[in-house]
Amino acid sequence: MQKLPEQLIIEGKEYNAGDLFVELIPKHVAVIMDGNGRWATMRNQHRTTGHRAGAETLKLIVHTASKLGIKAITAYAFSTENWKRPKLEVDLLMMLLDKYLTEEIDYWNQNNVKIIFSGDETALADKLQKKMKNAVKTTANNNGLVLNLAINYGSRAEIVRATKKITQEVLEGRIVLEDLDEKHFGEYLYTSGLPEIDLLIRPGGDMRISNFLLWQIAYAEIWLTPIFWPDFNPELFINAIRDFQKRDRRFGGLNSK
Ligand code: IPE
Ligand code: IPE
Ligand code: MG
């Protein structure tokens, strides 16, 4: 099997990825970007400082992922449950998303990254919705990595939304109930058109899914680390891919190795 080049250079630093197999690179990686608040609190700083640092980490990981040949990253930025947080934190998170979508467009275009979103955007400020539309439009012709940002995303809400859409189409006679299968159902989810999720990464030490991609991670490999997201880095990401390549994915069958 073909191996990756010995050294990967990411933002001027060298990383060793020469033992990774090209054929076994995951196509789609999902990341629960968790631990920003605790990272900041540990440093006696406001939680928002952690969110800011986390945004930088995402940039670095997207860069690493595209160098590794990963096709898509779905990153959990704001959940449908995160509205429960104090208004100040929610407002600052929204401001940060707005800023990120403004400042990073050139970077994504230079790196051939295509932006898409998952989640209910209708609950977001008009200004932010416009930025999201603009990010999608401006990067639509890029054919490198797809960065799917999950904003106001909740997996249960996504499944209910899909069910409603399907029901509507059945009522209108546009689909026949008997034709509905798993593949077809998946086309009504935000992730439609993206490859299956191969790997789910959760930093921050918690061992739960937090309403993220419940349908899509049916057979994803899970990789956890206690490291907080702002301290997550290309080396850890490469480690996650290395571990992934050693997993025996049986999909309910028998050993594949
Ligand atoms: C993840 O970090 C970012 C969002 C949920 C927006 P947290 O803010 O959850 O950080 P912790 O888990 O409290 O440390
Ligand atoms: C999950 O983290 C959501 C995001 C990273 C955006 P949370 O911090 O909201 O998850 P819980 O509350 O610990 O489950
Ligand atoms: Mg958290």
Side-chain angles (χ1 to χ4, degrees):
M1 276 199 287
Q2 200 193 333
K3 297 236 178 113
L4 251 81
E6 207 52 58
Q7 298 291 346
L8 281 189
I9 313 235
I10 296 146
E11 314 251 307
K13 270 177 120 179
E14 282 185 11
Y15 296 91
N16 198 345
D19 59 327
L20 298 183
F21 296 106
V22 173
E23 288 89 340
L24 294 178
I25 289 292
K27 288 195 172 60
H28 186 174
V29 178
V31 186
I32 301 177
M33 305 188 285
D34 196 26
N36 296 349
R38 282 165 285 165
W39 181 89
T41 307
M42 250 176 49
R43 287 167 172 71
N44 289 322
Q45 283 169 339
H46 193 267
R47 291 176 55 85
T48 326
T49 314
H51 297 315
R52 238 174 247 129
E56 287 305 310
T57 305
L58 178 61
K59 200 170 153 183
L60 204 54
I61 296 309
V62 166
H63 197 165
T64 310
S66 54
K67 288 251 173 169
L68 291 171
I70 289 167
K71 304 270 179 257
I73 294 272
T74 292
Y76 209 2
F78 191 88
S79 78
T80 46
E81 286 72 33
N82 287 146
W83 297 106
K84 292 179 193 161
R85 297 189 179 196
K87 188 174 180 305
L88 184 68
E89 179 165 345
V90 171
D91 287 350
L92 285 165
L93 272 166
M94 292 298 156
M95 261 177 56
L96 210 63
L97 282 168
D98 193 293
K99 189 165 164 273
Y100 197 66
L101 294 180
T102 317
E103 289 175 1
E104 302 304 332
I105 299 273
D106 287 347
Y107 178 84
W108 289 322
N109 278 331
Q110 278 155 23
N111 289 281
N112 201 16
V113 173
K114 179 176 175 162
I115 304 294
I116 59 169
F117 295 94
S118 287
D120 177 12
E121 77 279 359
T122 61
L124 305 172
D126 288 346
K127 187 167 161 261
L128 181 56
Q129 287 189 47
K130 279 199 192 110
K131 291 273 171 71
M132 289 162 72
K133 284 202 183 79
N134 182 54
V136 170
K137 209 173 109 201
T138 335
T139 63
N141 292 326
N142 294 341
N143 58 8
L145 181 138
V146 176
L147 173 60
N148 176 27
L149 284 171
I151 301 179
N152 195 24
Y153 174 87
S155 186
R156 287 186 168 183
E158 176 186 38
I159 292 169
V160 171
R161 172 182 175 269
T163 309
K164 282 185 173 167
K165 284 189 172 204
I166 292 165
T167 310
Q168 191 66 41
E169 299 214 0
V170 171
L171 289 174
E172 288 167 8
R174 277 184 282 139
I175 54 172
V176 181
L177 204 46
E178 287 69 33
D179 291 345
L180 185 66
D181 58 14
E182 291 180 10
K183 189 171 173 291
H184 197 175
F185 192 92
E187 287 164 13
Y188 289 83
L189 300 174
Y190 293 117
T191 44
S192 171
L194 295 177
E196 287 276 350
I197 294 177
D198 297 307
L199 175 64
L200 169 71
I201 295 177
R202 181 166 191 154
D206 285 313
M207 298 185 190
R208 56 176 168 259
I209 304 298
S210 303
N211 201 13
F212 194 41
L213 304 168
L214 300 176
W215 171 281
Q216 296 89 336
I217 59 166
Y219 269 104
E221 294 296 323
I222 300 178
W223 198 86
L224 304 166
T225 170
I227 307 274
F228 296 134
W229 176 247
D231 281 336
F232 197 83
N233 56 42
E235 197 180 336
L236 284 169
F237 190 72
I238 291 167
N239 284 348
I241 307 298
R242 186 172 290 120
D243 286 347
F244 170 82
Q245 298 205 334
K246 291 180 191 143
R247 303 268 180 100
D248 181 18
R249 301 187 78 193
R250 292 186 292 279
F251 297 98
L254 299 179
N255 290 8
S256 60
K257 291 188 177 166

